[in-house]
Amino acid sequence: MNPYQAMIARNWKAATPYSALFELTYICNHACSFCYNCPTGEKELNTEQVFEALRKIADFGVLFITLSGGEPLCRKDFFAIAAEAQRLHFAIRIYTNGYLIDEAVAERLAKEVHPFEMEISLHGARPESHEALTRVPGSFVKLVAGVRALRKRGIKVLLKTPITKLNMNELREMRALAEDLGAEIHFDPVVTPKDDGDQEPLQMGADEEFMKRWWSDEFLDVREEKVPMRRDDKEIAAVCGVGRSGFAVDPYGNIYPCVQWRRKVANILEIPSLRDVWKGSTVLAEVRRVAEEIPRTTLKNSDVGEFTAFCAGVAWLQTGDPTRMYHQAELTARFRKKAYLELKARSDAGEVIEGLDNVFEKCAE
Amino acid sequence: MGEMIGPDGSRPPRRNPTAGFRVFEGEATIVLPDGSYIKVLNETGSRIWDLLDGSRGVKEIAALIAEEFETAPEAAERDVREFVEELARHGMLEKR
């Protein structure tokens, strides 16, 4: 364990968060068909209120902040907010669709914000597929130009791609595009429900037949996870770091244990400090307890438990019970287990397969 | 490299203002924007990092470290100088 991992482990054990995701606005210049945001119509935080929230988050010791949305760059005061985050010594990540990043914006980001990473949603390898999801003509070309402008200034870019029916046949081309742009790319085979529980976005997810192929050798050159990782549930303390390593804040100031699990903890403007609510919150105590219970019950009782990437928030949205196995997780786990067993058989037959014995770390970020 | 500190410590070194950092239980974690370099400092390193606000030279920082950590002044100055140079090599100090 290197010093950084040791620090993460220590924070985790003390349930002291080191990262926060801040949704600055639900306003967006795209109309993605599977967006999970659910604006309520309430008034979003103004500049001063965002500053106050940032100060409270910094005072709590949080190092990593993700400025997200909606589309965060849609806020007219975005650079003032980012400058305040910089002044407070956050390590800044920005999650954007890239549409508003031209040379001038990239220059300001490089000179004024210094993000350690820009995460940009890419939905296809060509305009037709990307824009079929964003529903904004010209968004693909703008994204590509934006990534080039950022890379030209040395800013790290991670392209994030949920695998959908519309792009599942051009993943290889997307990886090639990322390489051409000098960006990293992460494919997510799981599409999540909307924050209000609406399951409609799941219809956009890749079909079962494709998922079977995704976890086979066919996509070995595209997948980051070459060998499906197992989880040692005897060793693992909790299914994830929910309620411990991070939290999310929405544009109204509401604090949630996680961006996926929106059980309100408090409103950041109504509390003197995060420290006060973090230890005493019954919601946080409950989500921590559930996260610890899942490996010992849900996953232990499943024949694919050790291969299951389980999200309590998604389980809650899909089944109403954060501990209940949900179809998406179980199905993916079956494919992952099958792929693992095939590789294991090849290894047993003498082939060298690296990473076969890897297991998830004892505590998750 | 352009960011090296003068050998006599006459140009007070200063933390890279673009680096994100926090101190948790006496240990500073630093994240650099260019290259996403992450470094965790021990207690002494964290205290030096805290003192690198541009108002003190290496000698002055070393004197404070020697006093606070009860070490010989000469050894403290050598260690602080090496540490500051290491931080500079990793881009953790302001280019001046």
Side-chain angles (χ1 to χ4, degrees), chain A residues 107-249:
Chain A
E107 185 69 9
R108 289 194 73 182
L109 287 167
K111 291 275 164 60
E112 299 172 27
V113 184
H114 311 282
F116 75 93
E117 185 172 71
M118 298 286 294
E119 292 188 350
I120 301 182
S121 307
L122 175 72
H123 298 298
R126 50 186 72 98
E128 310 85 73
S129 46
H130 181 77
E131 290 162 15
L133 266 160
T134 66
R135 298 190 279 201
V136 174
S139 54
F140 178 81
V141 169
K142 287 205 173 200
L143 181 153
V144 169
V147 174
R148 284 197 201 285
L150 293 167
R151 292 300 301 135
K152 195 162 81 182
R153 291 163 177 84
I155 297 175
K156 184 182 172 196
V157 175
L158 171 65
L159 298 169
K160 292 178 74 168
T161 302
I163 302 176
T164 65
K165 288 186 173 70
L166 296 172
N167 65 24
M168 63 188 196
N169 293 320
E170 48 192 73
L171 304 181
R172 206 160 268 114
E173 291 91 325
M174 274 191 270
R175 184 165 286 291
L177 173 64
E179 280 168 16
D180 178 55
L181 293 169
E184 293 179 28
I185 188 164
H186 173 71
F187 294 106
D188 190 346
V190 177
V191 174
T192 54
K194 283 180 186 277
D195 288 339
D196 62 3
D198 184 347
Q199 309 290 311
E200 197 258 330
L202 305 188
Q203 305 302 318
M204 293 298 296
D207 57 34
E208 264 186 58
E209 187 51 39
F210 174 82
M211 293 312 292
K212 196 189 294 180
R213 289 168 53 207
W214 172 250
W215 288 108
S216 73
D217 271 7
E218 181 186 346
F219 284 100
L220 208 53
D221 59 325
V222 182
R223 283 199 322 255
E224 294 105 277
E225 193 182 355
K226 303 298 178 200
V227 176
M229 290 264 278
R230 288 169 301 141
R231 184 201 314 275
D232 185 346
D233 288 327
K234 288 192 294 298
E235 291 288 327
I236 201 156
V239 72
C240 69
V242 68
R244 291 177 180 274
S245 53
F247 58 90
V249 180

Side-chain angles (χ1 to χ4, degrees), chain B:
Chain B
M1 289 169 65
E3 78 257 39
M4 294 308 289
I5 309 305
D8 60 353
S10 59
R11 294 160 62 202
R14 188 173 166 226
R15 294 185 294 264
N16 183 339
T18 68
F21 70 90
R22 285 288 177 268
V23 179
F24 179 71
E25 292 182 349
E27 288 192 349
T29 305
I30 308 166
V31 184
L32 280 185
D34 47 351
S36 307
Y37 189 81
I38 297 174
K39 189 169 178 65
V40 180
L41 306 180
N42 64 19
E43 192 185 357
T44 317
S46 298
R47 179 62 179 139
I48 297 171
W49 177 257
D50 183 45
L51 293 167
L52 287 166
D53 60 3
S55 70
R56 303 171 187 83
V58 168
K59 279 178 187 293
E60 199 178 340
I61 292 172
L64 286 166
I65 292 295
E67 189 183 324
E68 291 177 21
F69 292 85
E70 296 178 355
T71 53
E74 304 77 35
E77 185 173 335
R78 188 187 60 236
D79 291 347
V80 168
R81 193 173 299 283
E82 281 176 10
F83 182 67
V84 165
E85 284 172 1
E86 186 195 339
L87 291 177
R89 272 197 304 278
H90 289 297
M92 292 183 170
L93 299 185
E94 188 176 40
K95 294 184 179 178
R96 319 183 85 184

Side-chain angles (χ1 to χ4, degrees), chain A residues 281-347:
Chain A
S281 162
T282 52
V283 170
L284 290 171
E286 169 70 3
V287 300
R288 286 178 201 131
R289 187 194 64 71
V290 167
E292 287 171 17
E293 179 191 322
I294 289 164
R296 295 198 300 270
T297 56
T298 317
L299 300 180
K300 189 180 170 205
N301 297 334
S302 165
D303 64 328
V304 292
E306 64 178 330
F307 291 95
T308 306
F310 192 91
C311 173
V314 174
W316 183 57
L317 284 173
Q318 290 206 16
T319 73
D321 177 353
T323 68
R324 187 180 296 172
M325 181 67 87
Y326 49 101
H327 177 69
Q328 218 177 11
E330 187 169 35
L331 189 69
T332 304
R334 295 215 175 279
F335 294 138
R336 296 176 82 240
K337 182 175 182 178
K338 182 171 179 291
Y340 173 83
L341 292 176
E342 283 171 7
L343 290 167
K344 177 86 168 58
R346 280 161 50 183
S347 171

